Amino acid sequence: MLAQIGFLGRRVAVHDHLVQAPLAAQEIVADPQQVLLGLLMQRYAGPHARVGAQVVAALHRQRQALQEFLMRRRHQQAELTAGPRPLVFAAVPVRRIDAVGAEGLARAELRPHRPGGRIVEEFQQRRYLPSAVRNYLCLLGWTPADGKEVLPIDEIVRQFEISAVHQSNARFDERKMSHVNAQTLRNLPPAEFAALARPILLETKVIDAAVSDARLAEVLGIVQEKVISLEHLPEFMGFFFTADFKKDEGAKANLTKKGGDPVARVRELLPALEAAAWTEPALEAAFAAVGAAHERKPTDYFAPVRFATSGQGGGAHLLGVLRVLGRDTTLARLKAFIA
């Protein structure tokens, strides 16, 4: 059996026997295979030839590793001598805070096999903007001098100073990253936001190819200021394109807390809306007039109308929603609600 392989001065330990190497160490490194093969062929023959082959293979692997190491060192030395200074990297320790506030080691939590873990592919599947994720990662362990959190990468590069990196561990807070993602979405140019939204809405069958760019842009112009993520965009704006929209049961249960009987509020408001011009100022005036007539705040009518027309308890500015939804659709949904 092969007991040991290695250089011991000028000797090679093989098969519990020492074979004297008559050549200098530098000559062995220069062409180790031929030297050892010759020695081993002399020392071993017949059934022992396999031992020699194992030694040669092991030495060949060591030689390759040494050559690769020396090549890397030569390249590094050449860069230091003739080129710009090499990049300097620093690792920032990170701890993670999950959705319920419990902390864990980020390195462990980011492993795919851990329950509740977070990996890059998951953020991609949840349609996080790459620029928003990069933006947030840049804030881990570092704060911009101007205090802003949502910044383009060029501005981050301009402001970054290694001396400003915090000494304490950074904390990966997914809620804060979601906030950065939402703010980045809201700040996108309308055309870029529409280009991101259309494939998602088509894929989820919220819209079909017949929906024009102009109509989609009109709806997106209302919801962009309140959008949280592309992941939730279909449910957030689906009611604009179908009468069969999902109704939030939690929002329905809260209707009586905001203005009393929701059906009564819609009945009080409906005649004023039927007579109003379909512009936001005219709709606002109708809410105000009905509120004054019934000694209520205009906002007492907002929640019932929002739920009746969208099935939601919150969202984009209500008057804008009603305007874009259209007179006929809005009135038909309000009448169905009180029927």
Side-chain angles (χ1 to χ4, degrees):
M1 296 295 294
L2 183 63
Q4 186 179 4
I5 299 175
F7 288 112
L8 300 175
R10 298 178 63 195
R11 296 177 296 178
V12 180
V14 180
H15 201 263
D16 295 327
H17 298 283
L18 295 179
V19 180
Q20 294 294 329
L23 301 177
Q26 61 186 20
E27 294 174 308
I28 293 177
V29 173
D31 200 354
Q33 289 178 291
Q34 291 185 7
V35 173
L36 275 187
L37 184 57
L39 291 171
L40 292 169
M41 290 299 292
Q42 294 176 16
R43 182 65 180 81
Y44 297 99
H48 301 290
R50 181 174 57 87
V51 177
Q54 290 176 336
V55 174
V56 171
L59 189 57
H60 181 59
R61 290 193 295 270
Q62 291 180 354
R63 181 191 183 193
Q64 285 183 316
L66 178 61
Q67 288 175 336
E68 291 174 2
F69 171 76
L70 292 175
M71 184 177 295
R72 288 196 299 270
R73 289 298 299 270
R74 285 196 295 269
H75 288 170
Q76 291 173 356
Q77 188 63 36
E79 291 177 356
L80 288 172
T81 302
R85 294 180 59 188
L87 296 176
V88 177
F89 296 91
V92 179
V94 178
R95 292 175 70 87
R96 178 177 175 271
I97 305 176
D98 62 21
V100 295
E103 297 186 10
L105 291 177
R107 183 175 297 177
E109 290 289 355
L110 291 174
R111 292 176 183 171
H113 64 272
R114 287 183 61 89
R118 296 291 183 266
I119 55 177
V120 173
E121 288 80 2
E122 180 178 343
F123 293 125
Q124 291 174 328
Q125 292 168 1
R126 294 173 60 187
R127 305 186 191 277
Y128 274 74
L129 292 176
S131 60
V133 175
R134 179 182 60 192
N135 185 161
Y136 178 67
L137 292 178
C138 289
L139 300 178
L140 293 177
W142 172 75
T143 302
D146 59 9
K148 296 180 180 179
E149 293 183 334
V150 181
L151 295 168
I153 190 61
D154 291 344
E155 183 62 19
I156 290 174
V157 171
R158 188 187 71 80
Q159 291 196 36
F160 182 80
E161 293 289 344
I162 192 69
S163 59
V165 173
H166 306 162
Q167 294 184 5
S168 58
N169 289 358
R171 294 188 173 190
F172 184 93
D173 187 341
E174 189 176 329
R175 290 170 297 184
K176 187 171 182 180
M177 188 173 77
S178 296
H179 169 74
V180 172
N181 185 65
Q183 293 299 318
T184 304
L185 273 173
R186 294 168 187 174
N187 293 337
L188 287 177
E192 186 175 344
F193 183 54
L196 290 171
R198 178 176 277 278
I200 296 171
L201 298 174
L202 286 170
E203 179 185 335
T204 54
K205 299 187 180 348
V206 171
I207 64 173
D208 56 30
V211 175
S212 67
D213 290 341
R215 175 57 177 168
L216 182 59
E218 185 181 31
V219 174
L220 292 175
I222 292 296
V223 304
Q224 185 173 0
E225 65 176 358
K226 292 291 185 179
V227 70
I228 299 174
S229 69
L230 292 173
E231 178 186 17
H232 297 110
L233 188 61
E235 61 190 67
F236 190 67
M237 58 178 290
F239 67 90
F240 281 102
F241 300 98
T242 179
D244 187 24
F245 51 85
K246 182 179 178 180
K247 296 180 174 59
D248 185 341
E249 294 301 321
K252 183 178 181 179
N254 290 329
L255 288 178
T256 56
K257 299 178 182 179
K258 301 178 180 180
D261 182 5
V263 174
R265 299 292 82 78
V266 172
R267 282 179 177 156
E268 293 169 357
L269 181 66
L270 187 57
L273 292 182
E274 289 176 323
W278 214 253
T279 64
E280 290 185 36
L283 292 171
E284 183 178 15
F287 276 88
V290 173
H294 294 273
E295 298 183 348
R296 293 185 176 278
K297 296 182 294 185
T299 53
D300 288 345
Y301 297 88
F302 280 17
V305 171
R306 183 185 295 279
F307 184 80
T309 54
S310 70
Q312 299 176 359
H317 182 52
L318 179 62
L319 299 181
V321 169
L322 299 182
R323 174 181 60 79
V324 173
L325 197 57
R327 175 196 293 272
D328 293 343
T329 300
T330 298
L331 296 179
R333 292 182 183 182
L334 291 177
K335 291 175 181 178
F337 181 73
I338 64 177

